[in-house]
Amino acid sequence: MFLVDSHCHLDGLDYQTLHKNVDDVLSKAAARDVGFCLAVATTLDGYVAMREQIGERDNVAFSCGVHPLNQDEELDVERLHSLAAQPGVVAMGETGLDYYYTPETKLRQQSSFSHHIAIGRALNKPVIVHTRDARADTLAILRQEQVMDCGGVLHCFTEDTDTAGKLLDMGFYISFSGIVTFRNAESLREAARYVPLDRILVETDSPYLAPVPHRGKENQPALVRDVAEYMAVLKGVDVETLAEITTNNFSSLFNVDLSALRQDN
Ligand SMILES: [Zn+2]
Ligand SMILES: [Zn+2]
């Protein structure tokens, strides 16, 4: 079995007490059949530092972008474009809108989001979208900016079935995190049952949102296995099938060739 953690903040894990280093995290992941990670950036400086920390590896790819909660200053569009063009960057983001925590930066978030999509289209790299309390505007901007040209994923999905349907119509993938395992997440499970297998990705969003039975502890890529096992039950397939399909989905969305890695596995 070969699983991918399609969204983690590898630079944000606890390297003081829980993990020796990045190798340690990746070997814990591999021990649970998690053979590849997408390390997601949240600021441009953070992207540069994260690449330095992680280094070049055949089992990690990167995204480049500015998180909607990190809008203290105006986006440096030129810098985003040139960093995102670097080899090893397979996606833009995470970008999107978060009106829950920072409604005061709405306008700046919207402009940043639009720039990420425009650059994604120019570079032919899909966008990783975060949305919270901003469903209508998120859908409107995705449409306006013609995201269909580069594609993307709504990460850590917590919206309803109707929103999932609209995203699927735009060719989007939907990524499920440990939230789907939470006791009170019944409407999310309904959405997960609704989204077809060939559009599903799984992620940890580590170090946040550890799935049950690890809830409350630090999350890490190894635990995407728990998300996958849970999703397999929801979808009525075995976990090997869910792994096979979500890994194929990841490869086709982000244009990452995993065949060599999958062979040794
Ligand atoms: Zn997010
Ligand atoms: Zn994230």
Side-chain angles (χ1 to χ4, degrees):
M1 178 159 67
F2 190 101
L3 282 160
V4 174
D5 184 356
S6 74
H7 187 117
C8 59
H9 301 284
L10 258 191
D11 54 340
L13 272 60
D14 177 0
Y15 293 104
Q16 302 302 317
T17 56
L18 292 180
H19 313 289
K20 284 194 260 328
N21 47 37
V22 176
D23 290 307
D24 187 26
V25 171
L26 295 173
S27 63
K28 288 168 184 166
R32 297 195 75 213
D33 300 321
V34 182
F36 197 88
C37 297
L38 177 47
V40 174
T42 57
T43 64
L44 298 185
D45 287 341
Y47 160 80
V48 172
M50 178 167 77
R51 286 208 72 156
E52 218 156 273
Q53 181 189 0
I54 296 172
E56 296 306 309
R57 295 164 184 272
D58 60 1
N59 53 356
V60 179
F62 298 91
S63 79
C64 181
V66 181
H67 194 289
L69 292 176
N70 297 329
Q71 305 289 329
D72 308 329
E73 40 192 82
E74 209 61 53
L75 176 68
D76 184 340
V77 180
E78 292 303 308
R79 186 170 181 225
L80 172 63
H81 195 130
S82 67
L83 291 176
Q86 291 182 343
V89 174
V90 301
M92 304 300 303
E94 58 181 287
T95 179
L97 304 174
D98 193 317
Y99 297 170
Y100 183 81
Y101 288 113
T102 52
E104 69 280 5
T105 62
K106 256 184 194 189
L107 292 178
R108 197 176 272 172
Q109 291 182 43
Q110 292 168 5
S111 145
S112 171
F113 187 21
S114 297
H115 281 300
H116 280 76
I117 301 169
I119 295 170
R121 291 174 62 207
L123 298 174
N124 196 25
K125 296 186 182 185
V127 288
I128 298 172
V129 178
H130 167 113
T131 187
R132 184 147 187 207
D133 264 15
R135 175 176 33 221
D137 286 359
T138 299
L139 290 169
I141 290 175
L142 288 173
R143 235 176 253 127
Q144 259 159 39
E145 299 296 333
Q146 299 171 51
V147 77
M148 288 279 253
D149 291 350
C150 58
V153 56
L154 201 305
H155 106 89
C156 199
F157 189 80
T158 52
E159 304 293 330
D160 59 7
T161 301
D162 177 64
T163 307
K166 293 193 165 92
L167 290 162
L168 292 171
D169 288 345
M170 281 189 258
F172 251 57
Y173 287 78
I174 311 273
S175 180
F176 293 92
S177 69
I179 296 178
V180 78
T181 70
F182 293 178
R183 190 172 50 83
N184 58 359
E186 194 44 52
S187 66
L188 179 57
R189 284 189 277 278
E190 194 184 307
R193 287 186 201 99
Y194 168 79
V195 177
L197 266 174
D198 66 357
R199 296 291 195 84
I200 288 176
L201 299 179
V202 285
E203 67 170 90
T204 57
D205 204 12
S206 49
Y208 316 107
L209 299 168
V212 171
H214 313 279
R215 199 171 172 184
K217 296 188 206 140
E218 187 194 76
N219 202 356
Q220 56 174 302
L223 302 187
V224 82
R225 171 74 175 256
D226 299 80
V227 178
E229 284 173 353
Y230 196 94
M231 285 294 293
V233 174
L234 280 183
K235 300 305 286 178
V237 296
D238 51 40
V239 67
E240 288 79 9
T241 306
L242 188 113
E244 170 80 20
I245 297 173
T246 54
T247 298
N248 288 341
N249 294 345
F250 179 88
S251 289
S252 39
L253 173 61
F254 295 112
N255 208 7
V256 175
D257 182 4
L258 297 173
S259 50
L261 283 172
R262 289 170 86 171
Q263 255 154 32
D264 326 321
N265 210 267

